[in-house]
PDB file of all heavy atoms in Angstrom:
ATOM      1  N   SER A  27      -7.663  -9.342   7.661  1.00 83.00           N
ATOM      2  CA  SER A  27      -6.853 -10.298   6.917  1.00 83.00           C
ATOM      3  C   SER A  27      -6.999 -11.727   7.417  1.00 83.00           C
ATOM      4  O   SER A  27      -7.012 -12.659   6.621  1.00 83.00           O
ATOM      5  CB  SER A  27      -5.386  -9.877   6.922  1.00 83.00           C
ATOM      6  OG  SER A  27      -4.892  -9.789   8.237  1.00 83.00           O
ATOM      7  N   ASP A  28      -7.148 -11.921   8.718  1.00 86.00           N
ATOM      8  CA  ASP A  28      -7.324 -13.286   9.234  1.00 86.00           C
ATOM      9  C   ASP A  28      -8.630 -13.892   8.726  1.00 86.00           C
ATOM     10  O   ASP A  28      -8.679 -15.058   8.338  1.00 86.00           O
ATOM     11  CB  ASP A  28      -7.292 -13.298  10.757  1.00 86.00           C
ATOM     12  CG  ASP A  28      -5.901 -13.019  11.308  1.00 86.00           C
ATOM     13  OD1 ASP A  28      -4.902 -13.291  10.600  1.00 86.00           O
ATOM     14  OD2 ASP A  28      -5.810 -12.522  12.449  1.00 86.00           O
ATOM     15  N   ASP A  29      -9.704 -13.095   8.724  1.00 87.00           N
ATOM     16  CA  ASP A  29     -10.994 -13.572   8.227  1.00 87.00           C
ATOM     17  C   ASP A  29     -10.923 -13.889   6.735  1.00 87.00           C
ATOM     18  O   ASP A  29     -11.465 -14.896   6.275  1.00 87.00           O
ATOM     19  CB  ASP A  29     -12.086 -12.525   8.468  1.00 87.00           C
ATOM     20  CG  ASP A  29     -12.332 -12.249   9.940  1.00 87.00           C
ATOM     21  OD1 ASP A  29     -12.036 -13.133  10.780  1.00 87.00           O
ATOM     22  OD2 ASP A  29     -12.806 -11.153  10.257  1.00 87.00           O
ATOM     23  N   LEU A  30     -10.244 -13.031   5.983  1.00 82.00           N
ATOM     24  CA  LEU A  30     -10.110 -13.247   4.538  1.00 82.00           C
ATOM     25  C   LEU A  30      -9.315 -14.515   4.249  1.00 82.00           C
ATOM     26  O   LEU A  30      -9.693 -15.322   3.396  1.00 82.00           O
ATOM     27  CB  LEU A  30      -9.447 -12.037   3.881  1.00 82.00           C
ATOM     28  CG  LEU A  30     -10.238 -10.729   3.958  1.00 82.00           C
ATOM     29  CD1 LEU A  30      -9.389  -9.574   3.454  1.00 82.00           C
ATOM     30  CD2 LEU A  30     -11.530 -10.825   3.179  1.00 82.00           C
ATOM     31  N   ALA A  31      -8.215 -14.695   4.961  1.00 83.00           N
ATOM     32  CA  ALA A  31      -7.379 -15.880   4.759  1.00 83.00           C
ATOM     33  C   ALA A  31      -8.144 -17.153   5.138  1.00 83.00           C
ATOM     34  O   ALA A  31      -7.995 -18.189   4.487  1.00 83.00           O
ATOM     35  CB  ALA A  31      -6.096 -15.762   5.567  1.00 83.00           C
ATOM     36  N   ALA A  32      -8.982 -17.068   6.169  1.00 88.00           N
ATOM     37  CA  ALA A  32      -9.731 -18.235   6.630  1.00 88.00           C
ATOM     38  C   ALA A  32     -10.708 -18.761   5.581  1.00 88.00           C
ATOM     39  O   ALA A  32     -10.997 -19.955   5.548  1.00 88.00           O
ATOM     40  CB  ALA A  32     -10.478 -17.903   7.924  1.00 88.00           C
ATOM     41  N   VAL A  33     -11.197 -17.882   4.726  1.00 89.00           N
ATOM     42  CA  VAL A  33     -12.126 -18.318   3.680  1.00 89.00           C
ATOM     43  C   VAL A  33     -11.436 -18.451   2.320  1.00 89.00           C
ATOM     44  O   VAL A  33     -12.089 -18.560   1.289  1.00 89.00           O
ATOM     45  CB  VAL A  33     -13.365 -17.384   3.576  1.00 89.00           C
ATOM     46  CG1 VAL A  33     -14.190 -17.462   4.842  1.00 89.00           C
ATOM     47  CG2 VAL A  33     -12.971 -15.960   3.246  1.00 89.00           C
ATOM     48  N   GLY A  34     -10.108 -18.420   2.325  1.00 87.00           N
ATOM     49  CA  GLY A  34      -9.341 -18.682   1.111  1.00 87.00           C
ATOM     50  C   GLY A  34      -9.111 -17.499   0.197  1.00 87.00           C
ATOM     51  O   GLY A  34      -8.725 -17.678  -0.956  1.00 87.00           O
ATOM     52  N   ILE A  35      -9.334 -16.288   0.666  1.00 80.00           N
ATOM     53  CA  ILE A  35      -9.078 -15.115  -0.162  1.00 80.00           C
ATOM     54  C   ILE A  35      -7.594 -14.771  -0.041  1.00 80.00           C
ATOM     55  O   ILE A  35      -7.100 -14.551   1.063  1.00 80.00           O
ATOM     56  CB  ILE A  35      -9.951 -13.925   0.266  1.00 80.00           C
ATOM     57  CG1 ILE A  35     -11.428 -14.268   0.044  1.00 80.00           C
ATOM     58  CG2 ILE A  35      -9.570 -12.660  -0.514  1.00 80.00           C
ATOM     59  CD1 ILE A  35     -12.396 -13.236   0.564  1.00 80.00           C
ATOM     60  N   PRO A  36      -6.860 -14.747  -1.155  1.00 77.00           N
ATOM     61  CA  PRO A  36      -5.422 -14.465  -1.100  1.00 77.00           C
ATOM     62  C   PRO A  36      -5.140 -13.074  -0.539  1.00 77.00           C
ATOM     63  O   PRO A  36      -5.890 -12.129  -0.776  1.00 77.00           O
ATOM     64  CB  PRO A  36      -4.954 -14.559  -2.550  1.00 77.00           C
ATOM     65  CG  PRO A  36      -6.118 -14.989  -3.353  1.00 77.00           C
ATOM     66  CD  PRO A  36      -7.337 -14.941  -2.507  1.00 77.00           C
ATOM     67  N   LEU A  37      -4.042 -12.962   0.190  1.00 73.00           N
ATOM     68  CA  LEU A  37      -3.686 -11.689   0.804  1.00 73.00           C
ATOM     69  C   LEU A  37      -2.868 -10.793  -0.116  1.00 73.00           C
ATOM     70  O   LEU A  37      -2.633  -9.641   0.215  1.00 73.00           O
ATOM     71  CB  LEU A  37      -2.934 -11.923   2.110  1.00 73.00           C
ATOM     72  CG  LEU A  37      -3.757 -12.589   3.215  1.00 73.00           C
ATOM     73  CD1 LEU A  37      -2.901 -12.813   4.452  1.00 73.00           C
ATOM     74  CD2 LEU A  37      -4.991 -11.782   3.553  1.00 73.00           C
ATOM     75  N   LYS A  38      -2.423 -11.290  -1.250  1.00 73.00           N
ATOM     76  CA  LYS A  38      -1.645 -10.451  -2.164  1.00 73.00           C
ATOM     77  C   LYS A  38      -2.587  -9.577  -2.978  1.00 73.00           C
ATOM     78  O   LYS A  38      -3.477 -10.071  -3.670  1.00 73.00           O
ATOM     79  CB  LYS A  38      -0.796 -11.302  -3.104  1.00 73.00           C
ATOM     80  CG  LYS A  38       0.368 -11.940  -2.427  1.00 73.00           C
ATOM     81  CD  LYS A  38       1.281 -12.587  -3.434  1.00 73.00           C
ATOM     82  CE  LYS A  38       2.511 -13.105  -2.741  1.00 73.00           C
ATOM     83  NZ  LYS A  38       3.465 -13.670  -3.673  1.00 73.00           N
ATOM     84  N   ARG A  39      -2.378  -8.281  -2.875  1.00 70.00           N
ATOM     85  CA  ARG A  39      -3.188  -7.311  -3.602  1.00 70.00           C
ATOM     86  C   ARG A  39      -2.312  -6.140  -3.992  1.00 70.00           C
ATOM     87  O   ARG A  39      -1.303  -5.862  -3.350  1.00 70.00           O
ATOM     88  CB  ARG A  39      -4.326  -6.776  -2.725  1.00 70.00           C
ATOM     89  CG  ARG A  39      -5.375  -7.780  -2.349  1.00 70.00           C
ATOM     90  CD  ARG A  39      -6.311  -8.021  -3.549  1.00 70.00           C
ATOM     91  NE  ARG A  39      -7.379  -8.927  -3.208  1.00 70.00           N
ATOM     92  CZ  ARG A  39      -7.400 -10.210  -3.542  1.00 70.00           C
ATOM     93  NH1 ARG A  39      -6.416 -10.740  -4.202  1.00 70.00           N
ATOM     94  NH2 ARG A  39      -8.421 -10.957  -3.213  1.00 70.00           N
ATOM     95  N   GLY A  40      -2.720  -5.411  -4.993  1.00 74.00           N
ATOM     96  CA  GLY A  40      -2.046  -4.186  -5.384  1.00 74.00           C
ATOM     97  C   GLY A  40      -3.037  -3.043  -5.399  1.00 74.00           C
ATOM     98  O   GLY A  40      -4.159  -3.204  -5.874  1.00 74.00           O
ATOM     99  N   ILE A  41      -2.642  -1.930  -4.851  1.00 76.00           N
ATOM    100  CA  ILE A  41      -3.484  -0.740  -4.862  1.00 76.00           C
ATOM    101  C   ILE A  41      -2.636   0.408  -5.371  1.00 76.00           C
ATOM    102  O   ILE A  41      -1.538   0.640  -4.872  1.00 76.00           O
ATOM    103  CB  ILE A  41      -4.008  -0.409  -3.445  1.00 76.00           C
ATOM    104  CG1 ILE A  41      -4.873  -1.546  -2.922  1.00 76.00           C
ATOM    105  CG2 ILE A  41      -4.790   0.897  -3.463  1.00 76.00           C
ATOM    106  CD1 ILE A  41      -5.321  -1.359  -1.490  1.00 76.00           C
ATOM    107  N   LEU A  42      -3.141   1.104  -6.353  1.00 75.00           N
ATOM    108  CA  LEU A  42      -2.457   2.274  -6.886  1.00 75.00           C
ATOM    109  C   LEU A  42      -3.214   3.515  -6.435  1.00 75.00           C
ATOM    110  O   LEU A  42      -4.393   3.673  -6.743  1.00 75.00           O
ATOM    111  CB  LEU A  42      -2.401   2.227  -8.418  1.00 75.00           C
ATOM    112  CG  LEU A  42      -1.876   3.482  -9.110  1.00 75.00           C
ATOM    113  CD1 LEU A  42      -0.409   3.716  -8.722  1.00 75.00           C
ATOM    114  CD2 LEU A  42      -2.022   3.355 -10.610  1.00 75.00           C
ATOM    115  N   LEU A  43      -2.540   4.350  -5.671  1.00 78.00           N
ATOM    116  CA  LEU A  43      -3.106   5.638  -5.278  1.00 78.00           C
ATOM    117  C   LEU A  43      -2.503   6.684  -6.199  1.00 78.00           C
ATOM    118  O   LEU A  43      -1.290   6.854  -6.224  1.00 78.00           O
ATOM    119  CB  LEU A  43      -2.751   5.956  -3.825  1.00 78.00           C
ATOM    120  CG  LEU A  43      -3.218   4.952  -2.778  1.00 78.00           C
ATOM    121  CD1 LEU A  43      -2.698   5.351  -1.403  1.00 78.00           C
ATOM    122  CD2 LEU A  43      -4.721   4.836  -2.773  1.00 78.00           C
ATOM    123  N   GLU A  44      -3.322   7.356  -6.958  1.00 78.00           N
ATOM    124  CA  GLU A  44      -2.806   8.362  -7.882  1.00 78.00           C
ATOM    125  C   GLU A  44      -3.621   9.626  -7.745  1.00 78.00           C
ATOM    126  O   GLU A  44      -4.771   9.598  -7.327  1.00 78.00           O
ATOM    127  CB  GLU A  44      -2.817   7.845  -9.314  1.00 78.00           C
ATOM    128  CG  GLU A  44      -4.183   7.570  -9.895  1.00 78.00           C
ATOM    129  CD  GLU A  44      -4.777   8.760 -10.612  1.00 78.00           C
ATOM    130  OE1 GLU A  44      -4.040   9.606 -11.125  1.00 78.00           O
ATOM    131  OE2 GLU A  44      -6.006   8.864 -10.623  1.00 78.00           O
ATOM    132  N   GLY A  45      -2.992  10.719  -8.069  1.00 81.00           N
ATOM    133  CA  GLY A  45      -3.676  11.997  -8.009  1.00 81.00           C
ATOM    134  C   GLY A  45      -2.675  13.119  -7.797  1.00 81.00           C
ATOM    135  O   GLY A  45      -1.500  12.878  -7.519  1.00 81.00           O
ATOM    136  N   PRO A  46      -3.153  14.336  -7.912  1.00 84.00           N
ATOM    137  CA  PRO A  46      -2.253  15.480  -7.758  1.00 84.00           C
ATOM    138  C   PRO A  46      -1.784  15.641  -6.318  1.00 84.00           C
ATOM    139  O   PRO A  46      -2.334  15.030  -5.389  1.00 84.00           O
ATOM    140  CB  PRO A  46      -3.121  16.672  -8.186  1.00 84.00           C
ATOM    141  CG  PRO A  46      -4.520  16.222  -7.998  1.00 84.00           C
ATOM    142  CD  PRO A  46      -4.525  14.738  -8.216  1.00 84.00           C
ATOM    143  N   TRP A  47      -0.798  16.472  -6.160  1.00 84.00           N
ATOM    144  CA  TRP A  47      -0.250  16.777  -4.847  1.00 84.00           C
ATOM    145  C   TRP A  47      -1.369  17.257  -3.933  1.00 84.00           C
ATOM    146  O   TRP A  47      -2.231  18.033  -4.332  1.00 84.00           O
ATOM    147  CB  TRP A  47       0.827  17.854  -4.997  1.00 84.00           C
ATOM    148  CG  TRP A  47       1.487  18.212  -3.714  1.00 84.00           C
ATOM    149  CD1 TRP A  47       2.580  17.595  -3.172  1.00 84.00           C
ATOM    150  CD2 TRP A  47       1.123  19.237  -2.807  1.00 84.00           C
ATOM    151  NE1 TRP A  47       2.905  18.169  -1.973  1.00 84.00           N
ATOM    152  CE2 TRP A  47       2.012  19.203  -1.725  1.00 84.00           C
ATOM    153  CE3 TRP A  47       0.107  20.186  -2.784  1.00 84.00           C
ATOM    154  CZ2 TRP A  47       1.938  20.060  -0.651  1.00 84.00           C
ATOM    155  CZ3 TRP A  47       0.024  21.049  -1.714  1.00 84.00           C
ATOM    156  CH2 TRP A  47       0.945  20.987  -0.665  1.00 84.00           C
ATOM    157  N   GLY A  48      -1.368  16.768  -2.697  1.00 86.00           N
ATOM    158  CA  GLY A  48      -2.292  17.262  -1.686  1.00 86.00           C
ATOM    159  C   GLY A  48      -3.616  16.528  -1.549  1.00 86.00           C
ATOM    160  O   GLY A  48      -4.447  16.922  -0.741  1.00 86.00           O
TER     161      GLY A  48
END
Side-chain angles (χ1 to χ4, degrees):
S27 59
D28 289 334
D29 296 336
L30 296 172
V33 295
I35 296 174
L37 294 178
K38 287 189 175 183
R39 293 283 183 259
I41 298 175
L42 172 64
L43 301 176
E44 65 91 28
W47 182 88

